[in-house]
Amino acid sequence: MENKIDVKELDLFYGEFQALIKINFSIKQGDVAALIGPSGCGKSTFIRVLNRMNDLIPSCRITGQALLDGEDIYGDMDVTELRSRIGMVFQKPNPFNMTIFDNVAYGQRMQGIKDKRILADIVENSLKKAALWNEVKDRLKKPAQALSGGQQQRLCIARSIAMEPEIILMDEPTSALDPIATGRIEELIGELKKDYSIILVTHAMHQASRVSNKTAFFLLGELIEYNNTREVFTNPRDKRTEDYISGRFG
C-alpha cells in the first residue's frame, strides 16, 4: 500500500532557530500514528507542517519534502484544497459562534454548496461519524457553545469530517477534557480509523498505547524513533525512548 503522507529529510526554521531536524515520517491509509515526547519537542510544529499552518508565520522556512499521495504539499498544491484533504482538530474545542448545524455545514457552504437537503445529509452523516448525532439531533438550531466540552470537541471532529478529508490531524484533542469525555474521543478514534488516517499528538502515554498502531517519539526537534506502537513501548530501539517511556524524564 502506498503511503498517504511521506516526509523526507524535513528541516523547519523559525528565523535562526531550527525547530525540526531531518524528519523522516510516513503514514498509510487507516494508520493511527501517535506523536509523543516532552513539551516543546516539535510534535505540534510537525503536524502543522502537514496542512501548512506554519505558512502564517513570516519567519518560518522549510526544506526537505512533505508529500501527500506523492504530490509536494509545498509545491503547486492549492492550500484550501490541502486543508480540506487534511483536517485539523485542536487542543481546545473551538466551535464557531453559530448553531450546531451551521458549524458542521460551514466548510461545505464555503465551497459553494447551497442545497438544503444536501447540507442536511452532510451534517447528519458527519455528526453520526463523530458519535454525536443522537445527543444533538433535536437541537441542531441551538448554539454550539451550549454543548459540553467533550461534545464541542466531537462537534469540531464532525466539522472536519464534513469536508471529507483523507487525514485528520489531532493536536492533543483530549487534554482539556474529563476522563469520560476522553474515553468517548478515544473510542471515536477507533471508529474513524476505518475511513481516515489519523495523526494524534498526545502527552498521555497510555492514550498512545491504546489508540495508535504507530508511535513516533520526538525530542528537541528530532524524530528519535518511529515504529509499531507495541515495539516502541515494549522494545524501544533508542535509550532516549526507553528513558522517556519509563518516566526518567519529560
Side-chain angles (χ1 to χ4, degrees):
M1 193 192 292
E2 294 293 304
N3 291 329
K4 287 298 295 174
I5 292 271
D6 249 325
V7 175
K8 299 171 182 175
E9 297 290 299
L10 187 127
D11 293 316
L12 182 144
F13 299 85
Y14 295 124
E16 295 297 305
F17 173 69
Q18 187 164 2
L20 294 173
I21 304 158
K22 295 279 176 281
I23 303 293
N24 290 285
F25 175 93
S26 63
I27 188 170
K28 289 184 163 46
Q29 180 67 39
D31 276 344
V32 179
L35 312 188
I36 63 170
S39 291
C41 66
K43 306 183 296 292
S44 295
T45 300
F46 174 65
I47 64 167
R48 285 160 187 266
V49 165
L50 301 177
N51 71 346
R52 293 186 52 173
M53 296 285 284
N54 295 309
D55 284 15
L56 307 171
I57 302 166
S59 64
C60 181
R61 180 168 59 85
I62 292 171
T63 62
Q65 269 194 322
L67 307 175
L68 171 59
D69 288 333
E71 191 181 346
D72 187 355
I73 287 171
Y74 286 84
D76 296 331
M77 195 178 287
D78 178 73
V79 177
T80 308
E81 184 208 338
L82 171 69
R83 290 186 187 146
S84 66
R85 292 174 68 187
I86 302 183
M88 182 94 169
V89 177
F90 294 93
Q91 186 169 1
K92 206 163 174 284
N94 61 339
F96 302 142
N97 188 18
M98 51 180 73
T99 67
I100 293 167
F101 184 97
D102 289 341
N103 261 274
V104 183
Y106 181 83
Q108 291 286 7
R109 278 197 178 124
M110 290 293 104
Q111 302 268 18
I113 292 181
K114 298 283 187 275
D115 187 302
K116 286 183 175 154
R117 268 185 308 189
I118 292 173
L119 288 171
D121 283 346
I122 289 167
V123 169
E124 181 174 342
N125 289 332
S126 304
L127 288 168
K128 280 178 174 169
K129 282 189 173 178
L132 191 59
W133 174 250
N134 287 338
E135 293 164 56
V136 303
K137 62 185 178 189
D138 299 325
R139 45 184 177 141
L140 295 174
K141 297 298 178 198
K142 295 279 195 297
Q145 269 77 7
L147 297 172
S148 70
Q151 289 173 324
Q152 286 186 19
Q153 193 62 298
R154 279 182 283 145
L155 179 68
C156 294
I157 292 169
R159 190 173 69 199
S160 180
I161 289 170
M163 297 306 294
E164 299 178 349
E166 297 156 40
I167 296 159
I168 302 175
L169 310 175
M170 297 186 170
D171 193 357
E172 294 194 55
T174 62
S175 64
L177 304 180
D178 63 57
I180 291 170
T182 295
R184 296 294 299 274
I185 300 283
E186 288 183 6
E187 283 172 24
L188 178 56
I189 290 168
E191 285 297 308
L192 292 174
K193 70 182 179 190
K194 296 170 189 168
D195 299 310
Y196 312 97
S197 305
I198 297 170
I199 303 176
L200 168 77
V201 173
T202 179
H203 270 303
M205 232 91 73
H206 52 276
Q207 183 172 75
S209 65
R210 276 198 300 264
V211 305
S212 70
N213 64 307
K214 298 273 196 182
T215 295
F217 171 55
F218 280 74
L219 185 65
L220 300 171
E222 289 185 70
L223 177 46
I224 304 297
E225 187 160 346
Y226 182 45
N227 204 343
N228 293 329
T229 294
R230 185 183 288 271
E231 285 290 309
V232 171
F233 280 95
T234 60
N235 189 26
R237 293 176 187 162
D238 193 292
K239 177 82 166 57
R240 291 166 293 180
T241 313
E242 186 183 341
D243 287 350
Y244 181 72
I245 284 167
S246 60
R248 292 197 184 100
F249 73 94

